[in-house]
Amino acid sequence: DAGITQSPRHKVTETGTPVTLRCHQTENHRYMYWYRQDPGHGLRLIHYSYGVKDTDKGEVSDGYSVSRSKTEDFLLTLESATSSQTSVYFCAIRGQGKHEQYFGPGTRLTVT
Amino acid sequence: AQTVTQSQPEMSVQEAETVTLSCTYDTSESDYYLFWYKQPPSRQMILVIRQEAYKQQNATENRFSVNFQKAAKSFSLKISDSQLGDAAMYFCAHMDSNYQLIWGAGTKLIIKP
């Protein structure tokens, strides 16, 4: 257990509304990641962070922004949600001095 | 672009038997890491096993072992003595030189009692 929580766990929202998902970790990990999971695609990287205020884009970053003002929190924002952003979102951390990633429980987001 | 391919969308095995899940990957790097993750119906992603490419010895974790063929860029997962709790989606992943994971599409493993 890498002490990762995500909130909310489930959310239903309407097209065009802003949505923010939160990832919180308790073990001071430097690297944090946001992925989305869709059937047939495995996981795809949206954005990642390598420190406070240090972030970079992943494979599917269009329509998403992130912020990291504290080591423990990594926020994912959908400025104007679209139906194509209906997905399960996972946050992950990279262990200290390790290469594997550990995941939060996921957030199921439905955009109607 | 680096890719990871899992050619078996679904596999089934009798309880207590052995099953092998296939994974191939594409990379031009010589040093990298490979992983198998398990995702049960609870949706939690769980690390099963990892392999460092510079190690010739295949990784093992209890009933889980890998067959790593570097030249063939193949990384299969063998599950021995299959148990009902092994039923899940299994994902193969390759870590590139930027420490980012490239994922396969997954294999659904069904355990028959």
Side-chain angles (χ1 to χ4, degrees), chain A residues 9-10 33 35 37 40 42-43 45 48 88 90 94 99-106 108, chain B residues 33 35 37 39 42-47 50 91 95 98-106:
Chain A
R9 295 291 312 279
H10 300 87
Y33 304 82
Y35 292 91
Q37 183 179 29
L43 273 73
L45 182 65
Y48 67 99
V88 178
F90 284 97
R94 179 152 64 94
H99 296 86
E100 52 263 34
Q101 294 180 13
Y102 298 94
F103 288 80
R108 180 176 294 279
Chain B
Y33 292 78
F35 305 91
Y37 282 84
Q39 187 178 39
S42 67
R43 204 167 66 200
Q44 181 71 50
M45 292 291 287
I46 303 166
L47 176 65
R50 78 170 200 169
F91 292 94
M95 179 166 282
N98 293 320
Y99 300 103
Q100 295 183 16
L101 288 177
I102 312 298
W103 296 80

Side-chain angles (χ1 to χ4, degrees), chain A residues 44 66 90 103 110:
Chain A
R44 291 181 292 175
V66 291
F90 284 97
F103 288 80
T110 303

Side-chain angles (χ1 to χ4, degrees), chain B residues 8-19:
Chain B
Q8 307 149 317
E10 186 174 298
M11 292 280 287
S12 62
V13 63
Q14 205 71 34
E15 190 177 4
E17 297 293 308
T18 295
V19 64

Side-chain angles (χ1 to χ4, degrees), chain A:
Chain A
D1 183 1
I4 307 167
T5 57
Q6 292 184 231
S7 58
R9 295 291 312 279
H10 300 87
K11 186 171 182 66
V12 179
T13 192
E14 294 184 347
T15 298
T17 60
V19 177
T20 295
L21 308 182
R22 179 184 184 232
C23 178
H24 180 78
Q25 54 124 338
T26 60
E27 298 183 1
N28 207 35
H29 296 288
R30 180 182 174 193
Y31 285 84
M32 299 183 74
Y33 304 82
W34 276 109
Y35 292 91
R36 60 178 289 172
Q37 183 179 29
D38 304 290
H41 287 278
L43 273 73
R44 291 181 292 175
L45 182 65
I46 305 171
H47 282 279
Y48 67 99
S49 170
Y50 47 96
V52 173
K53 298 186 179 179
D54 292 324
T55 64
D56 206 349
K57 296 179 180 180
E59 176 189 359
V60 291
S61 60
D62 288 348
Y64 302 94
S65 63
V66 291
S67 65
R68 192 166 177 202
S69 58
K70 298 184 292 183
T71 299
E72 58 265 36
D73 288 326
F74 191 31
L75 305 180
L76 176 70
T77 297
L78 292 65
E79 300 290 347
S80 178
T82 67
S83 59
S84 65
Q85 293 175 312
T86 291
S87 188
V88 178
Y89 291 86
F90 284 97
C91 174
I93 59 92
R94 179 152 64 94
Q96 309 283 16
K98 298 180 180 179
H99 296 86
E100 52 263 34
Q101 294 180 13
Y102 298 94
F103 288 80
T107 294
R108 180 176 294 279
L109 176 67
T110 303
V111 184
T112 61

Side-chain angles (χ1 to χ4, degrees), chain A residues 40, chain B residues 1-9 21-27 34 36 72-76 90-94 102-107:
Chain B
Q2 299 182 43
T3 58
V4 175
T5 302
Q6 294 179 248
S7 59
Q8 307 149 317
L21 308 183
S22 301
C23 174
T24 58
Y25 58 94
D26 183 25
T27 182
L34 296 162
W36 279 99
K73 297 180 181 175
S74 171
F75 181 59
S76 59
Y90 285 82
F91 292 94
C92 176
H94 162 264
I102 312 298
W103 296 80
T107 296

Side-chain angles (χ1 to χ4, degrees), chain A residues 99-100, chain B residues 25 31-36 47-60 65-70 74-76 93-95:
Chain A
H99 296 86
E100 52 263 34
Chain B
Y25 58 94
D31 193 15
Y32 50 87
Y33 292 78
L34 296 162
F35 305 91
W36 279 99
L47 176 65
V48 174
I49 199 166
R50 78 170 200 169
Q51 174 80 41
E52 292 104 333
Y54 64 88
K55 290 187 176 180
Q56 293 185 342
Q57 186 173 7
N58 289 324
T60 62
S65 61
V66 300
N67 183 3
F68 174 49
Q69 302 289 329
K70 190 173 184 179
S74 171
F75 181 59
S76 59
H94 162 264
M95 179 166 282

